[in-house]
């Protein structure tokens, strides 16, 4: 508590100091740059622009649209934790997580299969390549109960008109409420872009390093401990793994984690483009001419290197747990149980791109080929293979932003994943300001199951499944996005054939019959100033007997008071409720790091997760104060899965500060 009071004092001190910083009010209402949740994060407050402002835009690979940074303060979950509210964890910040609004992996080609910590990790797909009129820096810090801390640092600047670089670092450290639950993640990213003086050559570079350390306790031994006397301090509840070992906490070193999943993911990508087209000098005034170059044809080369190391370590195993779940006995509690999968991939991609309409880079035809070389290293064997894939895309996003059409295809011609393919089509139309945007899309993927379903080994045993066929997943979607009426709606219809899953802690299986899933998500802001109601609702219905469990209804509601006080203080305060109907939530296998299908234990939480919050912004300074899991004062702890309870009451204080250097 002493650390908390010190931090609050520093927070208010910083708030006074920040009043003297530059006004970055232009960042208001800059969301909506892609991503399903951005539409729920708009900052509706009015801002006064001062002369000293900044404009920051960014792009992602393969997308011609410019996006803008969102500085809104009404959603702590996505803007600060960067974990969508529909995700459920194993009960601690940074622990293994999955989306209760089911999102299948729809990507052909090789996949290792370790995705339980993806929501915290960086990838090339979400790398941002910035353009900024001035150097921009953002700092984040959060402190919570049980010594939880999150640190974030981002910086980008244009060194010249032609060169920009950006750096991003995020640390998550949370000892948790239960034994052997520590998480300690260090997540790095560096991006850069360069354009030649004649604007014909472009280079993009992306590097990331994800260092994930997740404590694994196998869940508590029985849910009866939650209501038994003497266990008010949750650390005293017996757990399945690491129960009799000592553990030490250290913020930067991570401390001692007797049972953990340790992931190391490194990615390096460089993309080079060379254009042929036409350049013109545009006369702006008597002293300024701007050189503009419109490409007509482009050659693009992409080099991608990835090194992913997935490891599990239990230095003091519990014989009963491993025998009942994995069918082997450790020789003693000093007989370390380990598992390791290490994958390296090098790919070279060559693409030819044609721009039919001069000056519209969002209208193009792209055809290319990619060669992949992949190697795997395990505790008992090595494997090497390669793939050759062909791909193409047609995209036409009109200059007036009224129409957006795309058609993509990718086919693995030869190699380990030969026969894998993905085809997709999308049509979006902006009808008018009242009716908003309407989008229709279809996706079909035929892919080899992730490698972890086919083979997994530890130092005690190895498990194989050589009978798996290719999975086929189809997604049909209708979506609408309306800024004027403040709502988004998406209707997804999924069809699955040869759906692959884990039927227990160590055996994969495949459901060969066709089944489907209907999914409807709806988000809307209802406003009677100064009060607002943010409603997020998802409905899911499974048709058929497929081995997939999802809650029929997931919902989150935020009832808030929103007002700009004085000149620069934007305040959002209220109550947040999050609830899902009862369902057979996935169990979790610590050794393989996989969520597994089960139909024996139904998770029925009587009360929603309740939180009270106060978020505010003063110019370029934002702060968050939250009291979470208030439902534990009037009921039992909710559960994320079988034997995985959520935390007790928790208190969090955080800040976000962005400034112009």
């Amino acid at each position: 508590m002493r650390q908390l009071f010190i931090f609050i004092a520093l927070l208010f001190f910083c708030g006074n100091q920040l009043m003297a910083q530059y006004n970055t009010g232009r960042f208001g209402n800059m969301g909506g740059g892609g991503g399903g949740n951005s539409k729920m994060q708009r900052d509706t407050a009015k801002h006064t622009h001062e002369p000293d402002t900044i404009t920051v835009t960014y792009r992602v690979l393969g997308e011609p649209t410019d996006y803008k940074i969102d500085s809104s303060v009404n959603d702590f979950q996505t803007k600060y934790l960067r974990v969508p509210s529909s995700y459920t964890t194993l009960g601690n910040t940074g622990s293994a997580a999955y989306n209760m609004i089911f999102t299948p992996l729809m990507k052909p080609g090789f996949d290792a299969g370790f995705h339980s910590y993806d929501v915290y990790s960086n990838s090339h797909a979400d790398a941002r390549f910035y353009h900024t009129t001035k150097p921009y820096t953002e700092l984040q810090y959060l402190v919570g109960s049980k010594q939880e801390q999150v640190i974030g640092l981002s910086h980008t600047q244009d060194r010249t008109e032609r060169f920009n670089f950006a750096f991003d670092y995020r640390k998550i450290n949370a000892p948790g409420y239960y034994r052997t639950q520590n998480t300690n993640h260090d997540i790095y990213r560096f991006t850069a872009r360069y354009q030649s003086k004649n604007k014909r050559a472009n280079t993009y570079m992306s590097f990331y390093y994800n260092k994930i350390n997740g404590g694994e306790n196998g869940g508590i031994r029985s849910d009866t401990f939650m209501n038994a006397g003497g266990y008010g301090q949750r650390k005293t509840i017996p757990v399945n793994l690491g129960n009799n070992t000592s553990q030490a906490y250290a913020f930067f070193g991570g401390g001692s984690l007797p049972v953990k999943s340790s992931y190391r993911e490194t990615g390096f990508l460089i993309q080079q483009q060379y254009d042929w087209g036409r350049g013109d000098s545009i006369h702006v005034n008597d002293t300024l001419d701007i050189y503009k170059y419109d490409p007509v044809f482009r050659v693009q080369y992409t080099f991608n290197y990835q090194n992913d190391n997935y490891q599990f370590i239990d230095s003091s195993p519990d014989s009963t747990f491993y025998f009942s779940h994995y069918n082997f006995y450790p020789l003693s509690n000093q007989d370390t149980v380990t598992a390791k999968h290490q994958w390296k991939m090098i790919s070279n991609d060559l693409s030819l791109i044609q721009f039919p309409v001069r000056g519209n880079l969002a209208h193009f035809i792209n055809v290319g080929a990619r060669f992949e070389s992949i190697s795997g290293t395990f505790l008992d064997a090595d494997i090497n293979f390669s793939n050759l894939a062909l791909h193409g895309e047609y995209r036409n996003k009109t200059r007036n932003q009224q129409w957006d059409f795309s058609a993509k295809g990718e086919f693995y011609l030869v190699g380990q994943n030969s026969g894998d393919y993905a085809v997709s089509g999308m049509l979006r139309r902006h009808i008018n300001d009242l009716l908003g945007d309407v989008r229709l899309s279809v996706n079909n993927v035929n892919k080899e199951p992730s490698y972890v379903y086919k083979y997994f080994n530890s130092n005690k045993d190895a498990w194989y499944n050589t009978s798996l066929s290719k999975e086929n997943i189809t997604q049909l979607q209708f979506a609408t996005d309306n800024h004027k009426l403040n709502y988004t709606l998406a209707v997804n219809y999924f069809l699955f054939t040869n759906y692959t899953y884990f039927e227990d802690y160590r055996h994969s299986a495949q459901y060969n019959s066709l089944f489907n899933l209907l999914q409807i998500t709806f988000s809307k802001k209802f406003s009677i100033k100064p009060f607002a109601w943010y409603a997020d609702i998802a409905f899911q219905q499974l048709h058929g007997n497929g081995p997939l469990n999802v809650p029929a209804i997931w919902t989150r509601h935020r009832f808030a008071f929103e007002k700009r006080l004085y000149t620069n203080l934007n305040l959002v305060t209220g109550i947040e409720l999050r609830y899902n109907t009862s369902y057979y939530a996935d169990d979790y296998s610590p050794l393989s790091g996989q969520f597994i299908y089960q139909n024996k234990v139904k998770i029925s939480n009587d009360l929603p997760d309740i939180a009270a919050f106060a978020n505010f912004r003063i110019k370029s300074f934002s702060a968050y104060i939250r009291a979470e899991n208030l439902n534990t004062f009037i009921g039992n702890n909710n559960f994320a899965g079988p034997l995985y309870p959520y935390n007790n009451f928790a208190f969090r204080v955080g800040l976000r500060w962005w400034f112009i250097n």
Side-chain angles (χ1 to χ4, degrees), residues 99-281:
N99 197 347
M100 285 190 284
I101 302 176
F102 185 67
T103 51
L105 179 66
M106 300 188 68
K107 178 181 177 299
F110 170 78
D111 176 66
F114 297 89
H115 299 291
S116 297
Y117 291 89
D118 276 2
V119 72
Y120 313 107
S121 301
N122 287 328
S123 69
H124 295 310
D126 55 19
R128 296 181 175 185
F129 300 91
Y130 289 92
H131 170 69
T132 176
T133 55
K134 295 181 181 180
Y136 169 79
T137 301
E138 181 176 313
L139 302 176
Q140 294 187 1
Y141 181 70
L142 177 148
V143 61
S145 302
K146 301 298 180 182
Q147 298 179 302
E148 174 193 18
Q149 296 183 77
V150 178
I151 292 176
L153 168 64
S154 300
H155 176 77
T156 182
Q157 61 175 288
D158 284 13
R159 295 297 299 170
T160 68
E161 292 182 355
R162 305 192 303 273
F163 176 71
N164 171 278
F165 74 89
F167 172 76
D168 183 81
Y169 169 72
R170 188 166 179 82
K171 183 172 186 67
I172 301 172
N173 189 290
Y177 281 67
Y178 303 89
R179 289 188 62 84
T180 324
Q181 198 185 40
N182 299 43
T183 59
N184 189 66
H185 308 333
D186 294 281
I187 303 157
Y188 305 84
R189 187 204 303 279
F190 181 83
T191 61
R193 62 164 183 81
Y194 172 79
Q195 186 177 60
S196 63
K197 187 175 182 179
N198 62 8
K199 298 190 177 184
R200 297 183 65 175
N202 298 278
T203 300
Y204 298 88
M205 191 276 286
S206 169
F207 170 82
Y208 66 81
Y209 177 60
N210 303 319
K211 181 182 178 183
I212 304 292
N213 290 303
E216 307 283 9
N217 63 16
I220 62 176
R221 291 190 174 177
S222 172
D223 55 10
T224 59
F225 289 113
M226 299 300 295
N227 298 316
Y231 294 103
Q233 176 57 257
R234 298 308 190 188
K235 287 282 186 182
T236 62
I237 294 179
V239 295
N240 286 308
L241 296 176
N243 190 62
N244 298 317
T245 58
S246 61
Q247 58 187 76
Y249 169 78
F251 180 64
F252 286 103
S256 172
L257 295 178
V259 189
K260 68 176 181 179
S261 292
S262 177
Y263 293 0
R264 303 290 184 267
E265 300 171 328
T266 304
F268 175 76
L269 179 145
I270 185 164
Q271 184 176 97
Q272 296 177 296
Q273 302 168 344
Y274 190 83
D275 297 339
W276 286 265
R278 181 178 175 183
D280 292 313
S281 292

Side-chain angles (χ1 to χ4, degrees), residues 368-384:
R370 181 176 63 256
F371 181 78
E372 303 171 344
S373 178
I374 303 167
S375 63
T377 301
F378 317 108
L379 292 176
D380 62 347
D382 296 332
I383 186 174
N384 296 277

Side-chain angles (χ1 to χ4, degrees), residues 445-476:
V445 174
N446 194 67
K447 66 186 183 73
E448 195 82 10
S450 299
Y451 204 87
V452 71
Y453 292 113
K454 298 188 287 185
Y455 171 73
F456 185 83
N457 83 315
S458 69
N459 63 337
K460 301 299 179 183
D461 201 357
W463 312 305
Y464 301 84
N465 190 340
T466 59
S467 62
L468 299 177
S469 302
K470 289 186 182 295
E471 296 180 272
N472 192 279
I473 305 173
T474 300
Q475 177 188 13
L476 307 175

